[in-house]
Amino acid sequence: MASRRMSIIVVSGVRERLQMAAMVASVGAVSGNEVSVFLSMNALAPFLRGAPGVAPPDGEFGAIAATKNVPSFKTLFEQAVDLGGARIHPCSMAMDVLALDRAKLEPWLGEPLGLTKFLDDARDAQVWSF
Amino acid sequence: MSEHKVIDARGSFCPGPLMELIAGMKLAQVGDEIEVLSTDKGSADDIPEWIRKVGHDYLGSREEGGVWHITVKKTK
């Protein structure tokens, strides 16, 4: 099975973008790709430890999806880690701005990462942004 | 001895049925057959693609009353 490296940058806090990012990360990871996710800006708050896997919709689709049995983006990201070996890193800058320490984030997230390291890791990878 | 296991993912939308299948595959033994039940048409199209991509045996799909039965044999 061909494998590729996938680097996914998520900065949006709206449901549709978080959902699509989670779908790409989870399906990409369980399909044999090496997946790395970088959570920054508004995308970080939903990953506070114990926060529900919900986010405000950006439009009609997100509002409708909230009423259906669509897997939560947090569940999909966690499955990307557990089933596909993905690495999901909080952005160290966003943690500084929001005054968060590692213990306040979900335990299945990886270590905080700076942009320089993420960009270095993303070299030669397929890059997705949400 | 190989087993035939059924995963009921009816009512879940993509990629829920696929992820439930993969979680089931992790627990299965080589040679086991796993049948996923899904009401999501997108998953009925997508799951066979995943099976082929990762190299398990796709044993077929059939639709009965709006429920797709997708069967895979774990090969590795």
Side-chain angles (χ1 to χ4, degrees):
Chain A
M1 178 172 57
S3 173
R4 66 168 70 93
R5 296 171 62 224
M6 298 173 64
S7 294
I8 302 170
I9 301 173
V10 194
V11 298
S12 173
V14 302
R15 177 183 293 270
E16 290 89 335
R17 288 183 177 273
L18 285 164
Q19 189 72 24
M20 196 68 226
M23 291 169 68
V24 170
S26 58
V27 176
V30 299
S31 298
N33 300 296
E34 185 183 325
V35 172
S36 177
V37 180
F38 189 64
L39 300 172
S40 189
M41 311 288 175
N42 295 317
L44 194 54
F47 294 88
L48 287 169
R49 190 181 288 242
V54 297
D58 189 39
E60 185 181 10
F61 182 90
I64 294 171
T67 68
K68 308 277 188 180
N69 190 21
V70 175
S72 131
F73 62 86
K74 280 187 79 171
T75 298
L76 291 174
F77 275 125
E78 190 170 6
Q79 287 175 326
V81 173
D82 290 344
L83 301 176
R87 292 172 291 118
I88 302 178
H89 299 283
C91 166
S92 54
M93 178 279 287
M95 290 178 66
D96 288 343
V97 169
L98 297 173
L100 296 175
D101 60 41
R102 180 68 189 79
K104 290 183 178 171
L105 297 171
E106 294 290 3
W108 42 268
L109 295 184
E111 289 303 306
L113 216 58
L115 190 55
T116 302
K117 178 74 167 85
F118 182 79
L119 289 176
D120 190 52
D121 290 348
R123 194 181 41 183
D124 303 324
Q126 189 182 73
V127 177
W128 298 70
S129 64
F130 295 91
Chain B
M1 182 176 168
S2 299
E3 293 185 33
H4 183 96
K5 301 177 179 178
V6 176
I7 293 174
D8 188 350
R10 289 176 293 179
S12 180
F13 288 87
C14 177
L18 172 63
M19 302 309 287
E20 290 193 41
L21 167 64
I22 293 165
M25 295 283 279
K26 291 265 186 185
L27 299 174
Q29 303 297 315
V30 171
D32 286 352
E33 292 180 9
I34 301 176
E35 178 180 353
V36 187
L37 311 186
S38 174
T39 48
D40 179 53
K41 176 66 168 67
S43 294
D45 294 334
D46 210 33
I47 288 174
E49 284 297 321
W50 178 83
I51 294 168
R52 292 188 188 100
K53 181 175 174 60
V54 301
H56 295 294
D57 281 350
Y58 171 54
L59 301 182
S61 299
R62 69 181 196 283
E63 189 260 328
E64 291 177 6
V67 178
W68 279 268
H69 299 245
I70 307 146
T71 307
V72 56
K73 183 175 184 177
K74 181 169 177 170
T75 59
K76 56 187 176 181

